[in-house]
Amino acid sequence: MRLSLSVVSHGHGAAVLALLAQLAGLTEPRLARVLLTLNRAEPGLAAQAQAMACPFELVLIENAQPQGFGANHNHAFALDRRSQAPADAFAVVNPDIRLRGNPFDALLAELEAVPRVGAAYPGQQDAVGRAQDHERRLPTPARLLWRSLARLCGLRPTEVAAGQAPDWVNAAFLLLRAEAWVSVGGFDDSYHMYCEDVDLCLRLQMAGWHLRGVPVVVVEHDAQRASHRLPRHLAWHLRSLLRLWRSPAYGHFRQRQVGQARF
């Protein structure tokens, strides 16, 4: 399968260069194309990225005005689809991800083995090896309150037990089948930041696609959780939650869960 990857920098220069270096050093399967979006002007990063010797095509996208998370990845994917050699699978990767070996072999194998797997994803750990709670249940108000109380008590809440299927996974690292992405229209870019990954996962599943975790593959991601510290991010998070709770995708998914619970 031909593979492209989208990464967005919003002042993440050093982290992006480190990720590009790791991607350039991968053995097979290699990326065919990396689309790097500069969400704000970073002339130093642009020059250094273009000077790198990469085994993949590097497409640099420089925004005149900052865009939201989903809008940036949608734009990158649209550019890839319009190219002469569009990808069969499309990776959405945060700039602060660090690889531990080549994650794409096992992830692509999941897409190839089961035609209705729309998104495959690795396990996530922080720098000291602690598992990150990147697999989640539907974010109801009660569940979010439980998570907040758990954190206040110094606990690390885990919503999905081993072997249990999540309702959604965060988009720090997702490998999406191009066909699945196209079928649901990608991210809903009306979410500026937060909950666009929840919405995407719900819509994929409502369209008959499956999410598939590949725990033998692990990447390093130390989640920043800016909405716990920064008022602006908290406001974005709350607005996105309200949008999500009012969305058809959320309502239909909850109805399906209620129906399944009756049988």
Side-chain angles (χ1 to χ4, degrees):
M1 299 180 79
R2 184 176 171 86
L3 176 61
S4 291
L5 180 146
S6 172
V7 59
V8 178
S9 177
H10 191 82
H12 295 93
V16 170
L17 291 172
L19 177 60
L20 287 176
Q22 285 196 304
L23 295 172
L26 295 179
T27 56
E28 294 293 338
R30 287 193 173 97
L31 294 162
R33 180 179 293 123
V34 171
L35 300 105
L36 169 59
T37 301
L38 306 187
N39 204 30
R40 69 185 194 194
E42 294 182 74
L45 172 58
Q48 288 178 277
Q50 289 174 318
M52 293 182 69
C54 296
F56 44 75
E57 177 189 1
L58 179 64
V59 178
L60 190 64
I61 305 165
E62 299 184 77
N63 288 346
Q65 298 292 331
Q67 303 296 318
F69 178 93
N72 278 317
H73 288 297
N74 284 346
H75 182 224
F77 187 71
L79 287 178
D80 185 87
R81 297 297 294 170
R82 291 197 297 268
S83 70
Q84 292 185 341
D88 304 300
F90 186 74
V92 171
V93 178
N94 276 12
D96 58 354
I97 287 287
R98 292 294 167 265
L99 306 181
R100 298 177 181 175
N102 189 337
F104 297 113
D105 192 11
L107 296 176
L108 287 170
E110 289 295 327
L111 299 189
E112 292 170 339
V114 186
R116 294 308 296 178
V117 171
Y121 59 93
Q124 294 181 23
Q125 296 180 353
D126 65 14
V128 297
R130 292 178 300 184
Q132 300 288 280
D133 61 335
H134 59 295
E135 300 175 295
R136 302 278 188 88
R137 302 288 303 283
L138 196 68
T140 63
R143 189 164 285 129
L144 293 177
L145 177 60
W146 168 78
R147 288 182 61 84
S148 296
L149 292 174
R151 284 194 297 268
L152 285 174
C153 295
L155 303 175
R156 295 171 59 87
T158 301
E159 298 180 13
V160 179
Q164 183 181 17
D167 295 330
W168 67 279
V169 294
N170 73 24
F173 194 120
L174 277 179
L175 182 63
L176 295 128
R177 188 186 301 273
E179 179 188 355
W181 177 278
V182 170
S183 74
V184 299
F187 287 113
D188 180 346
D189 58 19
S190 64
Y191 293 90
H192 176 74
M193 188 180 292
Y194 301 107
C195 296
E196 56 275 280
D197 43 11
V198 187
D199 174 80
L200 176 66
C201 289
L202 300 186
R203 287 187 290 112
L204 282 170
Q205 292 172 92
M206 294 304 297
W209 299 101
H210 305 301
L211 311 177
R212 184 64 58 88
V214 185
V216 297
V217 181
V218 176
V219 298
E220 183 180 317
H221 180 234
D222 201 355
Q224 297 301 305
R225 310 196 189 282
S227 64
H228 299 172
R229 299 176 285 103
L230 304 174
R232 187 182 185 188
H233 284 255
L234 176 60
W236 284 339
H237 201 167
L238 292 174
R239 283 200 297 268
S240 291
L241 280 168
L242 290 174
R243 180 180 294 279
L244 177 71
W245 288 333
R246 295 168 180 164
S247 71
Y250 186 89
H252 293 159
F253 195 87
R254 284 206 74 178
Q255 288 176 0
R256 188 177 77 167
Q257 285 190 324
V258 170
Q260 290 172 340
R262 291 174 179 168
F263 295 97

